Amino acid sequence: MTATRQPSGTTRSADTRLARELLDGLTEAVLTTDPTGRVTLANARARQLLPEITVGTDLAGCPVAALARAVADDAAQFDTEHHARRLHGTRRQLTGSRYAWYVRDVTDEHAHTTALRAERSHREFLAQAGSRLALSLHRDRVLLATTTLAVPYLADVAVALPRPAAPTEPHTRWIRYADGEPAPVTGTARTARTDAVPGLAEALAGTVAEPHPWPDAEPADLAAMLPPGFGRPGTVLVSPLLNADGSAGALLLIRRAGRAGFAARDVELAREFAARAGAALTSADLHGEQTHLAQVLQTSLLPPELPTVPGVALAAGYRAAGDTLRIGGDFYEVFPHPRGALFALGDVCGKGVGAAVLTGRVRQSLRTLRLVEQRPLELIQLLNEALCDAPDAARRSQLTTLLLGAIDRGPTGLDIRIAGGGHPAPLLVTADGRVTTVPVGGMPVGALTVARFTETRVHLDPGDLLLAYTDGVTAARRPHDLATFGAARLRAALASVAGRSPTALVDRVRQAVDDWLAGEAHDDIAMLAVGASTTG
């Protein structure tokens, strides 16, 4: 067999064609230069991306400015926008002082990265906005936060317009914040004129509208919504502030004439932001309603001022768990009568508004029943029957611990009869500093229709004091080790003010409990101190 030998020139020519085919198949543009910097090769992709550069072009003076600067500065890479495409070039050194430039079209990569960054920025904005809005539990604060958060991220000016309480209201209130203003500004516009803003009527009705140009001839009322010197706006986007009932108002996002309009993603982001603002408004309105109801309860349930009872010195202390609403399940009452007074101190099962409602029922029942019965034992029995006869008593399993006392003035002090309903026993503090328990038993009131109650008697000489209190005093827990204040500390506090006034006694106990709690949360507390008055 005879082998056929190809001439060496033919082999090199074939290799060159193969190399050219391989280079032309690359997705990158490839440019090679000789030692003088002139192009010796440009593949097919280079001819597409960089049509101005051909074989023989001096890259240092080529029309692609970024590439020319990179060559002149001996830089290893460049980035540029060219023919609406984003390019990234990298230089590699070849043998013999020659170079190869690899240029990639990164338009799609850059667009994808930009979109991811924008989406991340949008998410961060909504998260921050949601946190700020959630902290605002007042309607006006929500509206202020809504306008300040939107500027400048969403718009150059943000205007919030709460929906008028009645369609016939002549004016609509607005809150505006503009980029560069030190603080939000408020004002009013005639309700009829607000229809001149495209999409505003729809937003106030709870529907959405697309971005619109600012009206050509806006009424003076609408012009006042814009900051002085703002100029003619470019685009306005109106979004409803939705709540459970439809729309609580509208949010106007206004961009300057020189700023790009609202793209589809901008509109979507604005709608989501407005929805969160609407939800915050709903929460603020609900909180406002609850606060109003709590204030009504507070007005009706706070213990009354102690009456003046001849021959009797009285002092009381009250604090509900959670001082913000100042209502709870502990209570006291004093009802004067010709011989002295009838007093009650109790603790309703539970805390908060539910306990407060039951407290109101117990106190109202006492006020009514004491008109027909003022003997403590008989009165507590009547109260138990009344509470057990309530239609929802079994369902709520309501119960109350209670002390009922009848104070009668005597020639040498006070004679007191006390009926007990499962409540902590009162304490007698004598003038010489002895502290003793006044034993009172009985079962909680309202627990059973056949409950048993007991009555005891105690005499107070001048200088003696009787303290009735709820278990919030002795059960107060120290924050760092959860130890309770306890009966021993209560007795010590009482002994330290023996012989002093009921007011001094209540103040001393309250101070001792506060010191023990160190500012931490506490249970309801009620105290009532009784002594013989030295002024007659």
Side-chain angles (χ1 to χ4, degrees):
M1 179 179 293
T2 303
T4 302
R5 185 171 183 176
Q6 298 288 341
S8 60
T10 304
T11 301
R12 284 196 297 274
S13 177
D15 290 344
T16 300
R17 288 195 303 273
L18 178 60
R20 168 65 72 175
E21 291 175 359
L22 291 173
L23 288 171
D24 286 344
L26 295 176
T27 58
E28 291 180 312
V30 180
L31 301 170
T32 61
T33 62
D34 61 17
T36 67
R38 292 187 176 276
V39 176
T40 58
L41 181 146
N43 71 345
R45 187 61 171 157
R47 294 192 294 274
Q48 293 174 353
L49 294 179
L50 307 166
E52 302 88 345
I53 300 176
T54 59
V55 173
T57 300
D58 183 2
L59 286 187
C62 73
V64 183
L67 175 55
R69 283 195 303 271
V71 173
D73 297 340
D74 196 27
Q77 60 183 9
F78 73 90
D79 290 279
T80 189
E81 293 275 351
H82 191 63
H83 294 309
R85 308 299 294 177
R86 189 171 186 88
L87 305 180
H88 175 75
T90 305
R91 187 186 70 180
R92 297 286 184 270
Q93 187 169 5
L94 305 177
T95 59
S97 300
R98 295 178 300 160
Y99 290 94
W101 281 95
Y102 300 90
V103 182
R104 288 191 304 117
D105 182 350
V106 295
T107 305
D108 294 340
E109 294 177 29
H110 182 264
H112 182 64
T113 301
T114 301
L116 286 177
R117 288 175 180 168
E119 186 61 28
R120 185 180 299 116
S121 176
H122 292 343
R123 293 296 106 192
E124 291 173 354
F125 167 75
L126 287 174
Q128 179 188 12
S131 298
R132 282 271 307 277
L133 291 168
L135 294 175
S136 303
L137 292 177
H138 188 277
R139 167 174 267 267
D140 283 350
R141 289 187 186 138
V142 172
L143 294 170
L144 290 171
T146 299
T147 56
T148 54
L149 284 168
V151 175
Y153 192 83
L154 295 176
D156 300 301
V157 178
V159 181
L161 292 95
R163 188 177 63 182
T168 57
E169 280 194 26
H171 291 88
T172 298
R173 180 168 167 265
W174 52 261
I175 300 174
R176 180 197 74 219
Y177 182 68
D179 193 14
E181 285 189 319
V185 178
T186 62
T188 58
R190 280 174 285 180
T191 302
R193 296 292 183 88
T194 57
D195 292 343
V197 178
L200 181 53
E202 293 88 339
L204 291 173
T207 59
V208 298
E210 295 303 312
H212 287 83
W214 189 256
D216 290 331
E218 77 271 17
D221 290 353
L222 299 186
M225 293 184 189
L226 300 174
F230 184 78
R232 180 169 178 76
T235 312
V236 57
L237 174 63
V238 185
S239 300
L241 300 173
L242 296 175
N243 62 12
D245 297 324
S247 175
L251 175 65
L252 278 67
L253 299 176
I254 304 167
R255 291 187 174 181
R256 295 182 183 273
R259 183 172 176 177
F262 293 93
R265 186 63 184 98
D266 295 334
V267 173
E268 182 182 343
L269 178 64
R271 300 284 191 240
E272 189 167 353
F273 171 69
R276 296 193 180 199
L281 273 177
T282 300
S283 297
D285 289 343
L286 180 59
H287 180 265
E289 292 175 5
Q290 291 175 337
T291 300
H292 174 70
L293 289 175
Q295 289 172 343
V296 172
L297 276 174
Q298 175 178 311
T299 301
S300 63
L301 296 177
L302 278 178
E305 293 287 334
L306 290 176
T308 299
V309 181
V312 181
L314 297 167
Y318 173 81
R319 189 168 58 191
D323 266 340
T324 52
L325 294 181
R326 300 179 61 221
I327 53 177
D330 291 8
F331 66 94
Y332 61 82
E333 293 275 5
V334 176
F335 307 107
H337 58 68
R339 301 180 311 279
L342 180 71
F343 72 84
L345 184 136
D347 183 357
V348 167
C349 178
K351 295 182 179 67
V353 174
V357 172
L358 182 53
T359 300
R361 174 176 293 182
V362 173
R363 291 173 62 186
Q364 187 58 46
S365 298
L366 273 174
R367 290 168 184 168
T368 302
L369 294 173
R370 60 103 182 178
L371 298 176
V372 297
E373 180 59 73
Q374 295 187 357
R375 294 173 297 175
L377 183 60
E378 287 75 7
L379 178 56
I380 201 170
Q381 291 170 340
L382 284 176
L383 177 64
N384 184 71
E385 293 175 11
L387 294 178
C388 289
D389 283 345
D392 54 350
R395 183 169 63 253
R396 282 200 318 267
S397 298
Q398 63 181 19
L399 58 91
T400 303
T401 65
L402 183 67
L403 291 177
L404 279 177
I407 306 172
D408 290 317
R409 291 184 299 274
T412 60
L414 301 177
D415 294 311
I416 304 176
R417 289 183 296 163
I418 305 173
H423 197 82
L427 296 173
L428 173 63
V429 185
T430 60
D432 59 5
R434 289 180 295 118
V435 180
T436 57
T437 300
V438 178
V440 180
M443 301 174 63
V445 180
L448 296 171
T449 56
V450 292
R452 296 174 60 188
F453 304 103
T454 59
E455 184 180 273
T456 190
R457 297 172 181 264
V458 63
H459 176 78
L460 300 186
D461 289 321
D464 293 347
L465 296 173
L466 180 74
L467 176 69
Y469 62 93
T470 58
D471 61 3
V473 175
T474 53
R477 291 186 179 276
R478 192 163 53 186
H480 64 275
D481 61 4
L482 299 182
T484 60
F485 184 71
R489 292 182 182 85
L490 175 59
R491 287 171 174 266
L494 296 178
S496 68
V497 291
R500 299 180 62 184
S501 67
T503 300
L505 181 145
V506 169
D507 289 344
R508 178 67 188 95
V509 174
R510 184 158 40 199
Q511 183 61 51
V513 173
D514 286 345
D515 292 344
W516 185 259
L517 289 169
E520 293 298 313
H522 55 81
D523 196 359
D524 298 337
I525 290 174
M527 296 178 284
L528 181 65
V530 181
S533 173
T534 58
T535 58

